[in-house]
């Protein structure tokens, strides 16, 4: 995660979601748009993918709709990263 700090990426994703929702997208659509906009980061870094998914989970819960795939991927990433650090 050389490009962004944890906090910077987290704030950037929050801002993206708010901007997309301000443009008329619902939380489901805004989440999808974030995944498209940040596809390169998601593919290249497990840590950045986790941060992005945690923010998407947070926003989804706050807006009353958490996509099942985002929830599942976030839990899988948390487990995988935790296990990698323990070995």
């Amino acid at each position: 995660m050389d490009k962004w700090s944890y906090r910077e990426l987290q704030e950037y994703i929050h801002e993206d979601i708010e901007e997309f929702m301000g443009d008329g997208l619902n939380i489901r659509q805004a989440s999808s748009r974030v995944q498209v906009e940040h596809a390169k980061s998601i593919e290249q870094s497990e840590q950045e993918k986790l941060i992005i998914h945690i923010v998407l989970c947070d926003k989804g819960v706050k807006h009353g709709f958490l996509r099942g795939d985002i929830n599942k991927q976030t839990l899988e990433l948390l487990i995988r990263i935790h296990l990698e650090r323990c070995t």
Side-chain angles (χ1 to χ4, degrees):
M1 204 165 73
D2 300 329
K3 188 175 172 186
W4 307 98
S5 73
Y6 169 80
R7 288 200 189 330
E8 288 172 330
L9 181 57
Q10 185 180 29
E11 288 175 24
Y12 189 60
I13 300 303
H14 277 284
E15 289 171 6
D16 280 352
I17 293 169
E18 293 304 319
E19 178 184 335
F20 299 149
M21 292 183 73
D23 290 341
L25 299 180
N26 63 36
I27 189 62
R28 178 187 302 195
Q29 295 165 324
S31 296
S32 295
R33 178 92 183 264
V34 165
Q35 288 178 307
V36 169
E37 296 285 328
H38 296 278
K40 188 174 181 178
S41 294
I42 289 170
E43 291 172 11
Q44 292 181 346
S45 170
E46 291 276 293
Q47 289 178 332
E48 286 189 26
K49 181 177 181 177
L50 178 59
I51 293 165
I52 292 166
H53 278 74
I54 287 173
V55 174
L56 293 176
C57 283
D58 178 58
K59 287 295 199 177
V61 169
K62 286 180 180 173
H63 288 278
F65 181 82
L66 175 56
R67 285 182 23 202
D69 62 320
I70 292 174
N71 185 40
K72 181 180 176 186
Q73 288 176 2
T74 304
L75 291 173
E76 289 171 358
L77 283 163
L78 285 167
I79 291 167
R80 186 168 51 245
I81 289 172
H82 176 72
L83 290 176
E84 287 173 1
R85 292 179 184 220
C86 291
T87 57

